[in-house]
């Protein structure tokens, strides 16, 4: 009996053991089946949409010598996951007490969105703010590493560089050009796949600085409303410097720039006045309708219909072609151009590009304003730049093409070789025509309205053409408001660089004897610019005996006055 009871107890124990083991096995099988189902058969959930924009690393922008003009730096931005915020009111209270400038109402709205996984709270927080917020220990609040675009040179070359928005998207200038060309993606496939090769500009930051400094001095001296200046390589079409004042600082957070801060040299069009006479002379010489021996009657105004064309400083005599140029005679230039029929005149303007929009890497480029109807009077006034408005950079490009042997080169803000540029050139005038124009430009620099440029930069053999145009105000020309322009080149025996200076509404001073025309303001400003940039560009002065005597005289005067 006792044996039977022990046997039954042993059997019951084994049964319980089997039952427990079976339970463990079934539990393990259930878990394994579920895991297999989730990993092998069930479709994976889609990756959640991240509600922020990743900043694509931008290429550095450097000048022609490798000086950094724009680059990215690492920053942190503050974000939140509203789903993980435990107490919205407490989070708002802590954040507003820690970070100046936080708006409690806006912050509460952002944090009170339980269906959102990501909201920006503040872009580009400072290191001090980051540390203070981190120490708060608020669940659901964190930082994301980003990049910030900075411009080490500040305002210098701002119109060329442009700027980007908060998401590092190019908005203007070369920055927008890089985006439009897809350079952020194609150029960024470097060794680490994160950093782009630098974009090398044609700009020489040393030239740019001298240009901006001297232009600012000129604007202040002549109390001009605004101004601009350009340095263009005649042989390659490269822009070595471009300034438009007032300018802006691309580093400032608020990018609401005013209309006055726009790039006048490419996004604006102006009547360049007598600078366009260079084109008229080139046309007449190239077509063979005039030569250096030609003479033009400037004894009285030229009457066309009810209009009369006058000279600013009448000579009231018959002028040779060089005298028409150096005296900037409207009458003589108009008579010379009227010898060419209107169709050929328009064809020449089209040949040199003045009938079309100048397109460069800068997206800010304005279309020329051309006469709607051509007649004898329009042809005569267009001859001296009246009623015909173009980009200032376009005017500089045309002058460079007329002086470099007659080969018009595409203008660029990117560094390129002279050989590559020459291959892209287009013949616009004969070499002989170009040679004659160089003679006329130099003559004007020695005897005409451009004399003061050589006085300010002796030895650099400057030649050029001045232009003074009345501004259009409320649909009418205002005699009291002028735009003055000087387009010059140096050294004139073999021009290497074109320099253009523009001043908007310069005022007369006692030093200018009451005059406010180009020869009194834009020309001397250009002279000061050339005196500073020529040594940087490797151009050596060759002083004449008269220039040596004048320099010695000025040095003696300065020494007597105790100046260095």
């Amino acid at each position: 009996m006792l044996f039977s009871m022990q046997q039954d107890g042993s059997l019951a124990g084994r049964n319980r053991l089997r039952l427990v083991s079976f339970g463990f096995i079934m539990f393990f099988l259930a878990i394994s089946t579920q895991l297999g189902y989730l990993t092998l058969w069930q479709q994976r959930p889609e990756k959640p949409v991240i509600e922020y924009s990743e900043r694509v690393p931008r290429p550095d922008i450097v000048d022609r010598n490798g000086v950094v003009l724009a680059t990215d730096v690492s920053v942190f931005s503050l974000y939140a996951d509203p789903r993980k915020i435990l107490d919205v009111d407490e989070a708002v209270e802590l954040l507003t007490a820690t970070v100046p400038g936080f708006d409690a109402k806006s912050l509460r709205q952002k944090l009170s969105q339980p269906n959102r996984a990501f909201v920006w709270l503040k872009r580009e927080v400072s290191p001090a703010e980051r540390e203070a917020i981190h120490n708060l220990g608020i669940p659901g609040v964190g930082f994301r590493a980003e990049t910030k675009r900075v411009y080490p040179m500040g305002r210098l070359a701002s119109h060329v560089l442009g700027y980007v928005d908060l998401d590092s998207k190019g908005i203007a200038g070369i920055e927008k050009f890089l985006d439009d060309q897809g350079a952020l993606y194609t150029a960024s496939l470097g060794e680490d796949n994160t950093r782009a090769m630098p974009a090398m500009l044609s700009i020489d930051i040393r030239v740019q600085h001298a240009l901006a400094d001297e232009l600012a001095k000129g604007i202040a001296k002549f109390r001009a409303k605004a101004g601009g200046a350009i340095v263009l390589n005649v042989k390659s079409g490269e822009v070595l410097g471009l300034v438009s004042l007032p300018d802006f600082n691309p580093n400032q957070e608020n990018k609401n720039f005013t209309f006055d801060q726009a790039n006048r040299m490419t996004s604006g069009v102006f009547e360049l006045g007598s600078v366009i006479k260079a084109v008229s002379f080139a046309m007449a010489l190239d077509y063979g309708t005039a030569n250096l021996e030609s003479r033009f009657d400037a004894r009285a105004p030229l009457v066309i219909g009810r209009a009369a064309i006058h000279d600013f400083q009448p000579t009231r005599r018959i002028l040779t072609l060089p005298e028409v140029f150096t005296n900037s005679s409207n009458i003589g230039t108009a008579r010379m151009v009227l010898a060419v029929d209107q169709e050929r005149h328009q064809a020449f303007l089209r040949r040199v590009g003045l009938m079309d929009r100048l397109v460069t890497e800068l997206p800010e480029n304005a279309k020329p304003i051309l006469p709607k109807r051509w007649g004898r009077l329009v042809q005569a006034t267009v001859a001296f730049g009246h009623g015909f408005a173009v980009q200032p950079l376009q005017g500089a490009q045309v002058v460079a093409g007329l002086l470099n042997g007659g080969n018009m080169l595409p203008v660029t803000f990117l560094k390129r070789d002279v050989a590559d540029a020459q291959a892209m050139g287009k013949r616009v005038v004969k070499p002989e025509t170009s040679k004659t124009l160089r003679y006329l430009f130099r003559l004007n620099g020695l005897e005409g309205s451009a004399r003061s440029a050589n006085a300010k930069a002796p030895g650099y053999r400057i030649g050029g053409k001045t232009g003074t145009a009345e501004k259009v105000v409320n649909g009418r020309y205002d005699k009291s408001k002028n735009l003055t322009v000087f387009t010059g080149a140096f050294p004139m025996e073999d021009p290497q660089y074109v320099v253009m200076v523009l001043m908007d509404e310069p005022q007369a001073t006692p030093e200018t004897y009451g005059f406010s025309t180009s020869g009194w303001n834009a020309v001397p400003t250009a002279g000061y610019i050339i005196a500073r940039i020529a040594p940087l560009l490797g151009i050596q002065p060759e002083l004449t005996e008269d220039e040596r005597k004048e320099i010695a005289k000025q040095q003696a005067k300065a020494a007597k006055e105790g100046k260095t």
Side-chain angles (χ1 to χ4, degrees):
M1 185 74 174
L2 178 62
F3 176 78
S4 178
M5 290 178 61
Q6 289 176 343
Q7 189 179 36
D8 290 343
S10 176
L11 181 62
R14 285 196 298 273
N15 288 337
R16 284 195 297 272
L17 182 60
R18 290 190 186 98
L19 183 62
V20 171
S21 298
F22 180 76
F24 273 112
I25 291 170
M26 293 303 294
F27 179 75
F28 177 75
L29 287 173
I31 294 296
S32 299
T33 302
Q34 183 67 14
L35 287 175
Y37 173 73
L38 291 174
T39 57
L40 299 177
W41 288 283
Q42 188 179 36
Q43 291 184 345
R44 295 181 182 181
E46 293 184 2
K47 186 178 180 180
V49 177
I50 299 176
E51 299 184 41
Y52 68 89
S53 57
E54 284 281 5
R55 297 190 184 190
V56 179
R58 300 185 68 85
D60 286 351
I61 301 176
V62 299
D63 86 332
R64 65 186 303 105
N65 299 310
V67 178
V68 176
L69 306 180
T71 189
D72 284 351
V73 296
S74 297
V75 295
F76 285 90
S77 292
L78 181 65
Y79 76 93
D81 182 347
R83 302 173 305 175
K84 297 179 180 179
I85 301 296
L86 302 178
D87 188 330
V88 172
D89 291 332
E90 181 185 22
V92 171
E93 183 179 349
L94 290 173
L95 288 171
T96 52
T98 305
V99 182
F102 260 144
D103 178 66
K105 182 179 179 181
S106 174
L107 190 59
R108 183 174 284 103
Q109 288 177 344
K110 291 180 179 180
L111 297 179
S112 301
Q113 302 180 71
N115 296 325
R116 294 192 65 180
F118 187 96
V119 291
W120 284 120
L121 300 184
K122 186 179 181 182
R123 307 293 286 271
E124 300 172 8
V125 296
S126 68
E129 289 174 335
R130 183 189 175 206
E131 182 179 4
I133 296 170
H134 177 77
N135 292 336
L136 296 176
I138 304 173
V141 173
F143 301 92
R144 183 167 297 281
E146 294 194 291
T147 57
K148 178 182 180 180
R149 196 65 162 173
V150 296
Y151 303 88
M153 297 296 176
R155 312 179 82 91
L156 201 57
S158 57
H159 284 107
V160 176
L161 295 171
Y163 55 92
V164 300
D165 63 11
L166 267 177
D167 291 312
S168 203
K169 179 182 178 182
I171 300 299
I174 291 294
E175 294 282 29
K176 188 174 189 307
F177 168 77
L178 292 177
D179 284 10
D180 292 344
Q181 296 297 308
L184 298 188
Y185 306 100
T186 57
S188 62
L189 300 178
E191 292 182 2
D192 58 1
N193 228 21
T194 59
R195 197 68 175 174
M197 294 294 291
M200 181 168 283
L201 303 186
S202 60
I203 297 294
D204 186 325
I205 206 64
R206 304 169 303 168
V207 172
Q208 182 76 18
H209 173 72
L211 204 60
D213 187 47
E214 292 298 338
L215 179 64
K217 290 177 183 177
I219 289 173
K221 180 176 182 179
F222 300 107
R223 304 191 307 280
K225 178 181 177 181
I230 296 166
V231 176
L232 183 66
N233 187 318
V234 169
K235 306 293 186 180
S236 68
E238 295 171 294
V239 178
L240 270 66
L242 182 146
V243 178
S244 179
L245 297 178
D247 55 10
F248 59 88
N249 188 344
N251 289 311
Q252 70 184 57
E253 292 185 12
N254 179 12
K255 298 292 197 300
N256 293 326
F257 302 120
T258 66
F259 177 79
D260 284 341
Q261 291 172 296
N263 182 2
R264 284 171 166 77
M265 308 310 279
T266 63
S267 64
V269 293
F270 303 92
E271 291 186 9
L272 300 181
S274 294
V275 169
I276 298 299
K277 286 176 182 173
V279 179
S280 299
F281 276 75
M283 177 187 69
L285 291 167
D286 210 59
Y287 281 159
T289 56
N291 56 48
L292 290 177
E293 306 301 322
S294 299
R295 294 175 177 273
F296 302 93
D297 189 351
R299 291 175 294 181
L302 174 61
V303 178
I304 302 176
R306 297 181 180 179
I309 295 173
H310 300 265
D311 283 340
F312 178 69
Q313 292 181 321
T315 56
R316 296 186 175 86
R317 61 186 179 86
I318 295 176
L319 303 175
T320 64
L321 185 141
E323 288 176 330
V324 172
F325 195 89
T326 55
N327 286 280
S328 199
S329 170
N330 294 337
I331 299 170
T333 306
R335 290 188 183 279
M336 179 176 63
V337 167
L338 289 173
V340 178
D341 63 68
Q342 293 177 26
E343 289 74 16
R344 296 185 77 199
H345 186 187
Q346 293 180 56
F348 189 84
L349 294 175
R350 190 172 292 106
R351 185 198 303 177
V352 297
L354 290 177
M355 302 284 272
D356 301 307
R357 184 196 305 266
L358 174 65
V359 177
T360 67
E361 293 84 7
L362 298 192
E364 301 82 20
N365 51 74
K367 186 178 180 181
I369 297 177
L370 309 174
K372 294 182 179 179
R373 292 187 179 87
W374 283 73
R376 184 174 171 80
L377 178 61
V378 168
Q379 185 183 9
T381 57
V382 165
F384 51 85
H386 187 84
F388 189 91
V390 297
Q391 297 177 38
L393 180 58
Q394 196 165 11
Q397 178 200 33
V398 171
V399 170
L402 295 177
L403 295 179
N404 70 1
N407 194 26
M408 186 74 70
L409 304 175
V411 172
T412 183
F413 287 88
L414 301 179
K415 187 175 181 179
R416 72 179 174 207
D417 294 331
V418 171
D420 293 337
Q422 293 294 321
M424 294 185 283
K426 181 184 75 170
R427 171 69 56 189
V428 289
V429 294
K430 304 181 188 76
E432 311 86 74
T433 302
S434 180
K435 183 178 179 180
T436 303
L437 278 175
R438 291 197 294 271
Y439 164 75
L440 293 173
F441 267 61
R442 180 57 175 156
L443 185 65
N444 198 43
L446 293 173
E447 302 177 6
S449 56
R451 293 189 305 276
S452 63
N454 284 286
K456 306 304 180 186
Y460 290 111
R461 295 90 74 200
I462 304 166
K465 189 71 192 77
T466 55
T468 301
E470 295 173 0
K471 292 180 64 176
V472 177
V473 180
N474 297 323
R476 300 178 66 88
Y477 286 97
D478 189 335
K479 294 182 179 296
S480 65
K481 295 181 178 180
N482 290 335
L483 184 88
T484 64
V485 186
F486 173 67
T487 305
F490 71 99
M492 282 312 302
E493 69 273 10
D494 182 20
Q496 301 295 313
Y497 302 97
V498 159
V499 175
M500 173 181 277
V501 173
L502 176 149
M503 288 196 177
D504 191 352
E505 297 183 25
Q507 304 301 306
T509 68
E511 184 181 339
T512 66
Y513 306 100
F515 293 103
S516 61
T517 50
S518 174
W520 295 99
N521 43 64
V523 174
T525 301
Y528 286 125
I529 289 171
I530 293 171
R532 286 183 63 173
I533 68 172
L536 299 175
L537 298 172
I539 306 296
Q540 299 299 321
E542 294 179 5
L543 298 172
T544 64
E545 189 60 33
D546 289 341
E547 287 172 333
R548 293 180 191 278
K549 291 179 180 178
E550 181 62 27
I551 290 174
K553 181 179 177 181
Q554 292 176 2
Q555 289 175 339
K557 181 180 178 182
K560 186 176 180 180
E561 296 175 352
K563 298 178 182 179
T564 57

